[in-house]
Amino acid sequence: MTHFDEAGAAVQAALDAGARYADARVMIRRSETMSARDGDVEDLGFDESSGLGVRALVGSSWGFYAVPDLSESSARAAGRRAAQIAAASAAVPGSPTDLMPSRAVTASWASDCVIDPLSVPLSDKGDLLVRATAAAKAAGADVAEANYAVWDTRKWFVSSEGHRIDQHIRECGAGVTAIAIGDGEVQRRSWPSHRGQFGTRGWELVDEIDLVGNAPRMAEEARALLTAPLCPAGETDLVLGGEQLALQIHESVGHAIELDRILGWEAAFAGTSWLDLSLLGSLRYGSELMNITIDPTFPGALGSFGFDDEGTPAAKRHAVRDGLWVGVLAGRDSAAVAGLDYAGSVRSDGWSRLPMVRMTNVGLEPGPHTLDEIVAATDDGVFMDINRSWSIDDRRLNFQFGCEYGYEIKNGKLGRMLRNPTYTGIGPRFWQSMDMLSSETIAWGTPNCGKGQPGQIGHTGHPAAPARFKNVRVGVRG
């Protein structure tokens, strides 16, 4: 049997057991991780997992069942069991769940990959991490850490509507961190972000990061932060670098526009949402510079794919256009309930987990300025970048973030480095204060987004560029 046959057997068994719709995914995933500290490799991990997960819809209820055995008999048993679970849940009265229409396709998709990450010798990867941490130590770091991670995922999807889709997605990334210890003070600097940069690309991404070349600067800046003045407290103009703005998007926009949260279906991990579906199309989310897209077609970004886990083809659409809230992250069932004509944002983190609404690449479209122009236009303010801490309420509204470093801005120029910079705000008020936006976009990858019970880890991408926000409260203590 092929993996399509196994998935098809599960779907047919679910239909035979009474489901009015069913789909199944066979997934095979290999992962590899390594970390080093102070010139030595400390940890090396491998994992390989394969199995089949099947969803069945009976009345208004879903059933899900997963098995690690890819035999035909096991696949059929999984399909029957999924339908039985759905039927048991459907015993509770409720209107039948509709699904947004989806055109059945037979297709194959693979992410772009120049250098297969799993083909790179372990000795070369280990040497890279060792050299990066050694370079940071030699430049003055008290502790130096580096890491990489690789994921290789294959999927075969079949639905009762006729979908037959296979995908091959390769992802990887890496980072290096220098830690400096002073008298009652610990500071860190990370490259290129607080947990590394990740994308749906091959090992060429890691080569481009240049861990070894940037490690000494991280050590020097971490040591300089030990004696830098604290970020002053008060309201001022805030310029955020692209990496920090990516996390701002993730937390205060990405989670808020997940339709299952807006509908009240999901509240685990990241909470609900402050958004009211009746205001879709009319609510002012931010300034006219704010254009947020949902774009799983973005080349090389960590939330990219050809089809989501319901077989919906990847497509770009706006979540915020010219500051107005116009779109959500949706699945076929939530879209139908909300009266929308699109879905395409459903994924799971493995064959044994029920697919759910997840962020893809949720990012800010570029603006008309450069970072140099933004700084030059700022008489008095603070620049911050590289996330260090984050906190946001369970409606994704009130937030407080800390960054690894900052610089004061005086008379259009960067001045002193600032220690422990923080800022706080309320989502729409903050986004409405954005008055300058750079065109220097990078698609930052976040490989550790948590959601659901049982918990799932999602891979998301966030294109972002530096931007300025007016009259933001900074220097928050405690």
Side-chain angles (χ1 to χ4, degrees), residues 221-298:
E221 292 184 4
R223 295 222 70 84
L225 282 168
L226 291 174
T227 55
L230 281 170
C231 177
E235 286 194 358
T236 189
D237 292 348
L238 172 65
V239 180
L240 289 182
E243 192 266 2
Q244 177 59 32
L245 194 53
L247 186 67
Q248 180 76 53
I249 294 166
H250 180 98
E251 299 293 351
S252 69
V253 180
H255 279 305
I257 64 171
E258 291 169 338
L259 184 54
D260 54 350
R261 297 193 183 284
I262 296 171
L263 293 173
W265 295 2
E266 169 65 37
F269 270 122
T272 57
S273 175
W274 65 277
L275 292 169
D276 182 337
L277 195 60
S278 67
L279 299 177
L280 183 65
S282 62
L283 174 72
R284 177 153 293 283
Y285 211 121
S287 74
E288 292 185 355
L289 282 174
M290 186 184 188
N291 290 283
I292 298 283
T293 58
I294 300 165
D295 187 9
T297 69
F298 197 107

Side-chain angles (χ1 to χ4, degrees), residues 127-200:
D127 180 61
L128 172 64
L129 301 190
V130 166
R131 288 189 296 116
T133 56
K137 286 284 286 186
D142 292 298
V143 179
E145 300 172 331
N147 68 280
Y148 76 79
V150 173
W151 301 270
D152 187 302
T153 305
R154 294 177 182 266
K155 304 180 182 184
W156 293 262
F157 175 82
V158 172
S159 82
S160 58
E161 295 175 336
H163 294 83
R164 289 174 64 91
I165 301 167
D166 68 278
Q167 299 188 81
H168 185 192
I169 300 172
R170 285 177 282 196
E171 306 158 302
C172 71
V176 60
T177 297
I179 298 172
I181 303 172
D183 184 12
E185 187 78 30
V186 177
Q187 293 292 331
R188 78 170 190 233
R189 282 290 288 113
S190 306
W191 176 265
S193 75
H194 71 294
R195 283 179 175 165
Q197 168 65 321
F198 298 85
T200 304

Side-chain angles (χ1 to χ4, degrees), residues 36-118:
R37 180 184 297 221
D38 298 343
D40 295 307
V41 172
E42 281 202 331
D43 183 71
L44 174 62
F46 300 95
D47 184 70
E48 183 166 348
S49 177
S50 62
L52 175 147
V54 55
R55 297 191 309 172
L57 184 59
V58 176
S60 61
S61 300
W62 287 104
F64 177 77
Y65 200 75
V67 291
D69 179 3
L70 294 179
S71 67
E72 181 179 4
S73 60
S74 181
R76 291 188 179 280
R80 289 192 297 270
R81 185 62 175 146
Q84 291 166 359
I85 293 170
S89 301
V92 178
S95 301
T97 296
D98 292 324
L99 298 178
M100 193 209 73
S102 176
R103 184 174 62 88
V105 297
T106 297
S108 182
W109 186 87
S111 58
D112 290 337
C113 179
V114 177
I115 304 172
D116 181 356
L118 293 178

Side-chain angles (χ1 to χ4, degrees), residues 287-342:
S287 74
E288 292 185 355
L289 282 174
M290 186 184 188
N291 290 283
I292 298 283
T293 58
I294 300 165
D295 187 9
T297 69
F298 197 107
L302 192 60
S304 298
F305 49 80
F307 299 82
D308 79 346
D309 283 352
E310 294 187 309
T312 303
K316 178 180 178 180
R317 59 181 48 88
H318 274 85
V320 179
R321 183 186 291 114
D322 300 330
L324 294 179
W325 175 42
V326 296
V328 297
L329 295 152
R332 293 182 62 192
D333 53 358
S334 58
V337 167
L340 304 177
D341 63 356
Y342 60 87

